[in-house]
Amino acid sequence: MTGLRADAVRNRKRVLEAARAAHAQSGTALCMHEVARRAGVGVGTVYRHFPSRQALIDAIAHPFFERGLALAHAVAETEPQGERFARFLRGFAEALASHGVPGHCMWDAPAARPVRTELRGLVASFVDSGRRSGTLRADLTAEDAFALLWTIAMLIDASDGRRPEIWRRHVELALDGLRVGAPARLEAPPFALGQWDGFVHETAARAGSGEADEL
Amino acid sequence: MTGLRADAVRNRKRVLEAARAAHAQSGTALCMHEVARRAGVGVGTVYRHFPSRQALIDAIAHPFFERGLALAHAVAETEPQGERFARFLRGFAEALASHGVPGHCMWDAPAARPVRTELRGLVASFVDSGRRSGTLRADLTAEDAFALLWTIAMLIDASDGRRPEIWRRHVELALDGLRVGAPARLEAPPFALGQWDGFVHETAARAGSGEADEL
DNA sequence: ACCGAAACGGAGTCCGGTTCCGCTAAGATG
DNA sequence: CATCTTAGCGGAACCGGACTCCGTTTCGGT
């Protein structure tokens, strides 16, 4: 008894499916009319189920939130205390990269707030475990860890599938830096300087003539 | 001899001024009609001087790029080899935070490419100096450093003026982690857990923010 | 079969970026 | 100063996309 009529349920599913497809193509720039067309419904229907574009995107991102939480719980239950934060961070990064959800949804969306809250609690516990077991530096806070999580999500977003070495190295470097004692040596980087351009995608936006005026 | 007519010069300045004001209020969401109105000119005039919204934003951000470069050069000339990267990173972060430019302009804008290139060269030299003088870990690459610069810019953007402690700690933590040997102890954090929500601003309901990320 | 309510669809509104083109006036020339 | 050329101006118009409104359709209970 969802209270929804049969056709409503069907349409909702179709819309979500269409939205996922559109999202795969255009990312968060997906167009509502386009989604409606793909789903074979009117725009009005799309809006009845998802009151705004953002809500629709949130809905698409939702499975990823679930996955993140599941990961955190798994880590909390099975990983050794000292390694929890590291394992979680790596797993989260990989999940984010493979799921293709814009990580910023996770932080932007009001809808994701409960998830964030729960996640924060878990991350805090990881940090705590790590500190207590002496693997993480004693002055690390849950807030610091969360900020790191955020920046890494952004970096992965921006990389958009290209050159995962960059964010993987970033993750390892960061984890290493939070560890107590001498850092492990990372293997030699498999790329040379000068490849940054094009990593973070330019907004294209043609034009950009080298305007050079001041004040 | 700019080749520009006197009124054109005047209008260009007015537009830029209006754009700065608008930007201060609405950030990169500034509206072209609004800018034109404030400047007391027609939209057409705005577009003659800045062929697109992005170009206008680039123009606003330009002084910041200059500032970043100037900082980098100053650091390169006056700071001790081992401290260059750290000093630059801190200075850059503070400049970004105080200037109010969305840091992502720096990476998005095609117009900023020359700046990025030069900056990358300088950062590479800082990393190099640091490694050679034994303060930075030997396996750190310029690419890593640039990625860090990027993530910190994003973090500062997202903070939008609130709670600078968060990104300041992040900077110190990161720098500490890149250093050779045991990390220094950071002073106790001046805030408690649970303050993350609201730090990264939620995109709220608002609508077509038209972000540029994808899948 | 009938009816009320839930859903639907899509034309219409609003908004904001960008374009187009007829008009204005800067400034060069005589 | 009068005249002409044309850079530069203004803003109506266009366009695409989010979101709304409301008359119509369909579900599902009786």
Side-chain angles (χ1 to χ4, degrees):
Chain A
M1 273 326 75
T2 57
L4 276 183
R5 252 165 51 173
D7 55 344
V9 174
R10 182 164 29 79
N11 280 333
R12 187 191 183 83
K13 186 168 300 184
R14 278 187 191 167
V15 167
L16 214 41
E17 223 158 288
R20 250 179 241 116
H23 181 263
Q25 277 192 359
S26 331
T28 49
L30 51 68
C31 156
M32 299 301 266
H33 290 82
E34 168 73 2
V35 169
R37 206 180 48 65
R38 280 183 196 250
V41 303
V43 260
T45 299
V46 175
Y47 276 93
R48 179 152 330 86
H49 291 293
F50 307 94
S52 72
R53 212 175 79 104
Q54 188 58 49
L56 183 54
I57 294 173
D58 287 357
I60 295 171
H62 195 263
F64 170 70
F65 299 164
E66 297 297 299
R67 192 164 156 191
L69 272 186
L71 172 68
H73 279 118
V75 164
E77 283 160 26
T78 70
E79 300 292 337
Q81 305 245 341
E83 292 305 312
R84 287 182 184 169
F85 181 63
R87 302 263 166 97
F88 171 71
L89 187 55
R90 289 195 192 100
F92 181 85
E94 296 295 339
L96 187 53
S98 70
H99 190 291
V101 161
H104 80 257
C105 283
M106 187 112 191
W107 322 96
D108 287 353
R113 180 172 287 204
V115 175
R116 279 200 297 275
T117 305
E118 190 174 353
L119 210 51
R120 184 168 51 219
L122 285 158
V123 168
S125 81
F126 298 160
V127 169
D128 224 47
S129 309
R131 288 168 46 176
R132 268 207 287 266
S133 59
T135 48
L136 293 182
R137 41 189 296 173
D139 54 1
L140 186 68
T141 71
E143 210 82 37
D144 295 330
F146 223 61
L148 178 60
L149 197 61
W150 185 87
T151 60
I152 284 169
M154 291 300 107
L155 188 60
I156 293 174
D157 262 19
S159 80
D160 191 29
R162 281 158 292 136
R163 311 194 54 226
E165 333 76 84
I166 289 201
W167 59 258
R168 289 216 177 90
R169 265 185 74 87
H170 192 77
V171 167
E172 295 310 320
L173 226 32
L175 285 174
D176 229 44
L178 299 182
R179 213 161 269 148
V180 165
R185 194 113 304 172
L186 290 184
E187 76 263 31
F191 49 83
L193 178 63
Q195 300 181 1
W196 178 271
D197 263 326
F199 171 58
V200 173
H201 43 222
E202 304 193 341
T203 38
R206 284 286 45 82
S209 54
E211 302 294 341
D213 39 347
E214 55 278 66
L215 169 63
Chain B
M1 280 320 80
T2 58
L4 278 182
R5 250 163 53 174
D7 55 345
V9 173
R10 182 166 28 80
N11 280 332
R12 186 191 184 83
K13 187 169 297 186
R14 276 188 192 166
V15 167
L16 215 40
E17 225 158 284
R20 249 179 241 116
H23 180 263
Q25 277 192 359
S26 330
T28 49
L30 52 67
C31 157
M32 299 301 267
H33 290 86
E34 168 73 3
V35 169
R37 206 182 45 67
R38 280 184 196 250
V41 302
V43 259
T45 300
V46 175
Y47 276 92
R48 179 152 330 85
H49 291 294
F50 307 95
S52 72
R53 212 175 80 102
Q54 187 57 49
L56 182 55
I57 293 174
D58 288 356
I60 294 171
H62 194 263
F64 170 70
F65 298 163
E66 298 295 299
R67 192 163 154 191
L69 271 185
L71 171 67
H73 280 117
V75 165
E77 282 160 25
T78 70
E79 299 293 336
Q81 305 245 342
E83 292 305 312
R84 287 181 186 171
F85 180 63
R87 303 263 167 96
F88 171 70
L89 186 55
R90 288 195 193 100
F92 181 84
E94 296 295 341
L96 187 53
S98 70
H99 191 288
V101 161
H104 78 254
C105 283
M106 187 114 189
W107 322 96
D108 287 353
R113 178 170 288 204
V115 176
R116 280 201 297 276
T117 304
E118 190 172 353
L119 210 50
R120 185 170 50 219
L122 285 158
V123 168
S125 81
F126 298 161
V127 169
D128 223 47
S129 309
R131 287 168 48 177
R132 268 207 286 267
S133 60
T135 47
L136 293 181
R137 41 189 297 173
D139 54 2
L140 185 69
T141 70
E143 209 83 38
D144 294 330
F146 223 61
L148 178 60
L149 196 62
W150 185 87
T151 60
I152 284 170
M154 291 301 107
L155 188 59
I156 293 174
D157 262 18
S159 80
D160 193 27
R162 280 159 292 135
R163 312 196 50 229
E165 333 77 82
I166 289 201
W167 58 258
R168 289 216 178 91
R169 265 185 74 86
H170 192 79
V171 167
E172 294 309 319
L173 225 32
L175 285 174
D176 229 43
L178 300 182
R179 214 160 269 147
V180 165
R185 195 114 303 174
L186 290 185
E187 76 264 32
F191 50 83
L193 179 62
Q195 300 182 1
W196 179 271
D197 263 326
F199 170 58
V200 173
H201 43 223
E202 304 192 344
T203 36
R206 277 300 34 88
S209 46
E211 303 296 335
D213 44 330
E214 24 261 65
L215 161 75

PDB file of all heavy atoms in Angstrom, chain A residues 13-25:
ATOM      1  N   LYS A  13       8.821   5.078 -12.118  1.00  0.00           N
ATOM      2  CA  LYS A  13       9.949   4.218 -12.459  1.00  0.00           C
ATOM      3  C   LYS A  13      10.540   4.616 -13.813  1.00  0.00           C
ATOM      4  O   LYS A  13      11.749   4.758 -13.961  1.00  0.00           O
ATOM      5  CB  LYS A  13       9.493   2.763 -12.476  1.00  0.00           C
ATOM      6  CG  LYS A  13      10.643   1.778 -12.684  1.00  0.00           C
ATOM      7  CD  LYS A  13      10.208   0.330 -12.406  1.00  0.00           C
ATOM      8  CE  LYS A  13       9.704   0.141 -10.975  1.00  0.00           C
ATOM      9  NZ  LYS A  13       9.374  -1.267 -10.660  1.00  0.00           N
ATOM     10  N   ARG A  14       9.643   4.833 -14.769  1.00  0.00           N
ATOM     11  CA  ARG A  14      10.099   5.223 -16.107  1.00  0.00           C
ATOM     12  C   ARG A  14      10.889   6.519 -16.071  1.00  0.00           C
ATOM     13  O   ARG A  14      11.931   6.656 -16.708  1.00  0.00           O
ATOM     14  CB  ARG A  14       8.896   5.440 -17.031  1.00  0.00           C
ATOM     15  CG  ARG A  14       8.358   4.163 -17.619  1.00  0.00           C
ATOM     16  CD  ARG A  14       7.283   4.495 -18.638  1.00  0.00           C
ATOM     17  NE  ARG A  14       6.560   3.300 -19.039  1.00  0.00           N
ATOM     18  CZ  ARG A  14       5.412   3.326 -19.717  1.00  0.00           C
ATOM     19  NH1 ARG A  14       4.872   4.490 -20.041  1.00  0.00           N
ATOM     20  NH2 ARG A  14       4.816   2.205 -20.057  1.00  0.00           N
ATOM     21  N   VAL A  15      10.373   7.477 -15.329  1.00  0.00           N
ATOM     22  CA  VAL A  15      11.043   8.773 -15.247  1.00  0.00           C
ATOM     23  C   VAL A  15      12.440   8.610 -14.663  1.00  0.00           C
ATOM     24  O   VAL A  15      13.422   9.134 -15.182  1.00  0.00           O
ATOM     25  CB  VAL A  15      10.233   9.765 -14.384  1.00  0.00           C
ATOM     26  CG1 VAL A  15      11.074  10.987 -14.033  1.00  0.00           C
ATOM     27  CG2 VAL A  15       8.975  10.180 -15.116  1.00  0.00           C
ATOM     28  N   LEU A  16      12.507   7.858 -13.597  1.00  0.00           N
ATOM     29  CA  LEU A  16      13.781   7.661 -12.931  1.00  0.00           C
ATOM     30  C   LEU A  16      14.789   7.007 -13.871  1.00  0.00           C
ATOM     31  O   LEU A  16      15.959   7.392 -13.931  1.00  0.00           O
ATOM     32  CB  LEU A  16      13.562   6.776 -11.689  1.00  0.00           C
ATOM     33  CG  LEU A  16      14.440   7.054 -10.487  1.00  0.00           C
ATOM     34  CD1 LEU A  16      14.624   8.545 -10.271  1.00  0.00           C
ATOM     35  CD2 LEU A  16      13.825   6.417  -9.258  1.00  0.00           C
ATOM     36  N   GLU A  17      14.280   6.058 -14.633  1.00  0.00           N
ATOM     37  CA  GLU A  17      15.131   5.348 -15.579  1.00  0.00           C
ATOM     38  C   GLU A  17      15.639   6.324 -16.641  1.00  0.00           C
ATOM     39  O   GLU A  17      16.833   6.373 -16.944  1.00  0.00           O
ATOM     40  CB  GLU A  17      14.300   4.257 -16.248  1.00  0.00           C
ATOM     41  CG  GLU A  17      14.994   2.920 -16.404  1.00  0.00           C
ATOM     42  CD  GLU A  17      13.944   1.818 -16.569  1.00  0.00           C
ATOM     43  OE1 GLU A  17      13.264   1.486 -15.570  1.00  0.00           O
ATOM     44  OE2 GLU A  17      13.788   1.337 -17.702  1.00  0.00           O
ATOM     45  N   ALA A  18      14.700   7.075 -17.188  1.00  0.00           N
ATOM     46  CA  ALA A  18      15.048   8.052 -18.215  1.00  0.00           C
ATOM     47  C   ALA A  18      16.043   9.060 -17.658  1.00  0.00           C
ATOM     48  O   ALA A  18      17.009   9.440 -18.320  1.00  0.00           O
ATOM     49  CB  ALA A  18      13.802   8.776 -18.690  1.00  0.00           C
ATOM     50  N   ALA A  19      15.818   9.451 -16.423  1.00  0.00           N
ATOM     51  CA  ALA A  19      16.701  10.438 -15.798  1.00  0.00           C
ATOM     52  C   ALA A  19      18.103   9.874 -15.669  1.00  0.00           C
ATOM     53  O   ALA A  19      19.086  10.574 -15.913  1.00  0.00           O
ATOM     54  CB  ALA A  19      16.161  10.828 -14.438  1.00  0.00           C
ATOM     55  N   ARG A  20      18.172   8.603 -15.310  1.00  0.00           N
ATOM     56  CA  ARG A  20      19.492   7.989 -15.178  1.00  0.00           C
ATOM     57  C   ARG A  20      20.214   7.987 -16.521  1.00  0.00           C
ATOM     58  O   ARG A  20      21.398   8.312 -16.603  1.00  0.00           O
ATOM     59  CB  ARG A  20      19.362   6.572 -14.626  1.00  0.00           C
ATOM     60  CG  ARG A  20      19.885   6.470 -13.225  1.00  0.00           C
ATOM     61  CD  ARG A  20      19.748   5.091 -12.636  1.00  0.00           C
ATOM     62  NE  ARG A  20      18.888   5.133 -11.456  1.00  0.00           N
ATOM     63  CZ  ARG A  20      17.728   4.535 -11.345  1.00  0.00           C
ATOM     64  NH1 ARG A  20      17.239   3.809 -12.330  1.00  0.00           N
ATOM     65  NH2 ARG A  20      17.038   4.647 -10.231  1.00  0.00           N
ATOM     66  N   ALA A  21      19.464   7.644 -17.549  1.00  0.00           N
ATOM     67  CA  ALA A  21      20.055   7.633 -18.888  1.00  0.00           C
ATOM     68  C   ALA A  21      20.530   9.039 -19.268  1.00  0.00           C
ATOM     69  O   ALA A  21      21.647   9.224 -19.732  1.00  0.00           O
ATOM     70  CB  ALA A  21      19.041   7.127 -19.901  1.00  0.00           C
ATOM     71  N   ALA A  22      19.656  10.003 -19.038  1.00  0.00           N
ATOM     72  CA  ALA A  22      20.008  11.384 -19.393  1.00  0.00           C
ATOM     73  C   ALA A  22      21.219  11.835 -18.593  1.00  0.00           C
ATOM     74  O   ALA A  22      22.119  12.493 -19.113  1.00  0.00           O
ATOM     75  CB  ALA A  22      18.823  12.302 -19.116  1.00  0.00           C
ATOM     76  N   HIS A  23      21.215  11.448 -17.331  1.00  0.00           N
ATOM     77  CA  HIS A  23      22.314  11.843 -16.465  1.00  0.00           C
ATOM     78  C   HIS A  23      23.631  11.243 -16.939  1.00  0.00           C
ATOM     79  O   HIS A  23      24.686  11.866 -16.856  1.00  0.00           O
ATOM     80  CB  HIS A  23      22.014  11.400 -15.034  1.00  0.00           C
ATOM     81  CG  HIS A  23      23.071  11.766 -14.062  1.00  0.00           C
ATOM     82  ND1 HIS A  23      24.052  10.892 -13.673  1.00  0.00           N
ATOM     83  CD2 HIS A  23      23.329  12.925 -13.420  1.00  0.00           C
ATOM     84  CE1 HIS A  23      24.851  11.500 -12.817  1.00  0.00           C
ATOM     85  NE2 HIS A  23      24.432  12.737 -12.648  1.00  0.00           N
ATOM     86  N   ALA A  24      23.542  10.017 -17.464  1.00  0.00           N
ATOM     87  CA  ALA A  24      24.749   9.365 -17.958  1.00  0.00           C
ATOM     88  C   ALA A  24      25.336  10.158 -19.125  1.00  0.00           C
ATOM     89  O   ALA A  24      26.542  10.194 -19.320  1.00  0.00           O
ATOM     90  CB  ALA A  24      24.437   7.943 -18.393  1.00  0.00           C
ATOM     91  N   GLN A  25      24.453  10.799 -19.878  1.00  0.00           N
ATOM     92  CA  GLN A  25      24.921  11.570 -21.029  1.00  0.00           C
ATOM     93  C   GLN A  25      25.333  12.986 -20.683  1.00  0.00           C
ATOM     94  O   GLN A  25      26.375  13.466 -21.094  1.00  0.00           O
ATOM     95  CB  GLN A  25      23.816  11.652 -22.087  1.00  0.00           C
ATOM     96  CG  GLN A  25      23.747  10.453 -22.990  1.00  0.00           C
ATOM     97  CD  GLN A  25      22.842  10.729 -24.173  1.00  0.00           C
ATOM     98  OE1 GLN A  25      22.263  11.811 -24.298  1.00  0.00           O
ATOM     99  NE2 GLN A  25      22.716   9.752 -25.044  1.00  0.00           N
TER     100      GLN A  25
END
